Amino acid sequence: MTCKEAFQEISKYYDGELTNDEKRVLKEHLGRCGHCQIVFDTTRKTIELYCEGELFPMPEVVRSRLHQALRRKFEQKAT
Amino acid sequence: MSSAAAERLNLELAVPGSRRVAAGLNPMDLQQQTLERPESALIAEAKAGNSGAFEELVNRYERKIYRLGLRLMGNPQDAEDVLQESFLKAYEHLPEFREDSRFYTWLVRIAVNEGLMKLRKQRSDKSEPLEDAVDDDGQLMPREFRDWRPNPEQLLGQEQMQALLLNAANTLPAGLRTVFFLRDVEELSTEETAEALGLTAGAVKARLFRARMRLREQLAQVLKRA
């Protein structure tokens, strides 16, 4: 497996699309290639960072304005 | 990445931490949700005109939709606009929700449409492509091979980290980052993402690969300087 092929396989790995044989080949390549191992680890880390909900909190005032807008909409519909 | 895929990943390569924890979902929230009224009942009541039931649905998903808007738009003001417009539109169009998909997926579709429409308006006079650009393969080849240690979260404060992540995402065309957020953050399936964006499953996979590679590279470059 070349490094270029490994990058594609890493993405497929995170999609759960590799067969056991393909995973074994990828793991063997990662074991031999420090660069690809880092791409593997930091791709996972990239996904994890964007999933970190606490980094993107919704301010209370935003929530409050949303509910005010909704209530105006409910009232419009009722009249 | 699906939850099942994440589970496999944890089992096989001992990936630290669970995506659910990483996503900031509190087990108490899940427990509370199970004690709350089922979503289908709330949808039925909301369709029958019970605005309280609709507000309860809003309470369940407002934070997630706000986060999606913030990641997609890159700034809090536009994220708030997307949040409001999405729920107002969802309320208006609720009778058309056929319940053949998850309510959350339906909401995400509305929010993404709102966001992309807004981005199109903002960028109509700029040359920056909103849709997927044809990528030169060279752009996808990683150039940064330094390990991210210490963890970026330990290195930077919350606000700095948020700004860094949003700026990095903004360097990608909206068509690429939307696929990344829907698949890897919101955990929509390839098919759900394809349906939401009017793409084929193959196009979703190809964009996801490009988005991951480019975001990783972008973050690696920025973290090197941080």
Side-chain angles (χ1 to χ4, degrees), chain B residues 3 61 70 122 135-136 152 159 187 191:
Chain B
S3 300
Y61 296 114
L70 185 56
Q122 288 171 355
D135 260 307
D136 170 11
E159 281 182 21
E187 298 191 323
E191 290 70 27

Side-chain angles (χ1 to χ4, degrees), chain B residues 78-142:
Chain B
D78 285 342
E80 181 171 357
D81 289 348
V82 167
L83 174 78
Q84 283 203 12
E85 284 155 21
S86 300
F87 278 112
L88 291 173
K89 200 159 268 185
Y91 181 68
E92 233 171 76
H93 292 274
L94 191 64
E96 296 156 35
F97 174 53
R98 293 194 310 273
E99 296 172 61
D100 50 7
S101 64
R102 287 186 290 154
F103 181 68
Y104 178 61
T105 312
W106 184 68
L107 274 180
V108 164
R109 204 180 309 156
I110 294 173
V112 165
N113 284 339
E114 286 298 318
L116 291 179
M117 215 155 56
K118 207 171 174 61
L119 284 170
R120 259 182 217 113
K121 273 186 204 156
Q122 288 171 355
R123 296 181 185 188
S124 58
D125 57 344
K126 296 184 187 172
S127 57
E128 187 182 352
L130 174 64
E131 299 305 334
D132 195 13
V134 178
D135 260 307
D136 170 11
D137 259 7
Q139 272 188 289
L140 297 177
M141 289 303 284

Side-chain angles (χ1 to χ4, degrees), chain B residues 12-81:
Chain B
E12 288 165 19
L13 285 184
V15 171
S18 111
R19 284 289 302 285
R20 288 285 162 207
V21 172
L25 281 183
N26 183 337
M28 284 300 288
D29 290 345
L30 294 175
Q31 195 184 355
Q32 212 180 348
Q33 275 201 12
T34 59
L35 297 174
E36 286 168 350
R37 277 182 294 168
E39 190 168 280
S40 54
L42 287 175
I43 292 166
E45 285 176 38
K47 278 184 171 176
N50 180 345
S51 56
F54 186 76
E55 269 202 282
E56 210 171 317
L57 289 167
V58 175
N59 290 338
R60 289 187 185 184
Y61 296 114
E62 59 197 0
R63 283 173 180 76
K64 292 189 81 174
I65 295 295
Y66 177 78
R67 278 182 213 140
L68 173 65
L70 185 56
R71 292 175 181 115
L72 180 61
M73 306 303 291
N75 71 78
Q77 185 53 57
D78 285 342
E80 181 171 357
D81 289 348

Side-chain angles (χ1 to χ4, degrees), chain A residues 3-4 7-17 20 23 27 30 34-36 38-63 65-67 69-74 77, chain B residues 1 5 8-9 12-13 15-16 19 22-23 51 54-55 58-59 62-63 66-67 70-71 80 83-84 88 91-92 137 141-142 145-148 151 153 158 161-162 165-166 168-169 180-181 183-185 205 208-209 212 215-216 219:
Chain A
C3 292
K4 197 172 174 185
F7 302 142
Q8 285 273 2
E9 296 296 278
I10 287 170
S11 196
K12 282 189 195 164
Y13 181 89
Y14 286 118
D15 281 336
E17 285 188 352
N20 286 339
K23 281 180 205 161
K27 276 174 86 172
L30 297 182
H35 282 181
C36 284
I38 285 178
V39 171
F40 181 85
D41 291 340
T42 51
T43 298
R44 186 195 66 229
K45 190 68 196 166
T46 298
I47 297 169
E48 284 178 355
L49 281 172
Y50 282 98
C51 287
E52 192 66 66
E54 285 162 20
L55 286 174
F56 305 94
M58 181 173 77
E60 194 47 42
V61 65
V62 170
R63 179 176 190 275
R65 283 196 290 258
L66 168 66
H67 285 263
L70 282 168
R71 283 176 192 149
R72 279 196 300 273
K73 187 87 176 173
F74 298 155
K77 206 180 176 188
Chain B
M1 178 167 53
R8 278 197 295 277
L9 200 112
E12 288 165 19
L13 285 184
V15 171
R19 284 289 302 285
S51 56
F54 186 76
E55 269 202 282
V58 175
N59 290 338
E62 59 197 0
R63 283 173 180 76
Y66 177 78
R67 278 182 213 140
L70 185 56
R71 292 175 181 115
E80 181 171 357
L83 174 78
Q84 283 203 12
L88 291 173
Y91 181 68
E92 233 171 76
D137 259 7
M141 289 303 284
F145 298 108
R146 216 178 287 210
D147 206 356
W148 296 357
N151 274 334
E153 307 97 300
Q158 182 186 311
M161 199 62 219
Q162 189 199 90
L165 291 172
L166 294 179
F180 174 78
F181 292 139
R183 283 286 290 115
D184 278 346
V185 180
K205 287 179 191 177
L208 184 58
F209 168 64
R212 283 171 176 163
L215 260 186
R216 189 211 76 87
L219 285 183

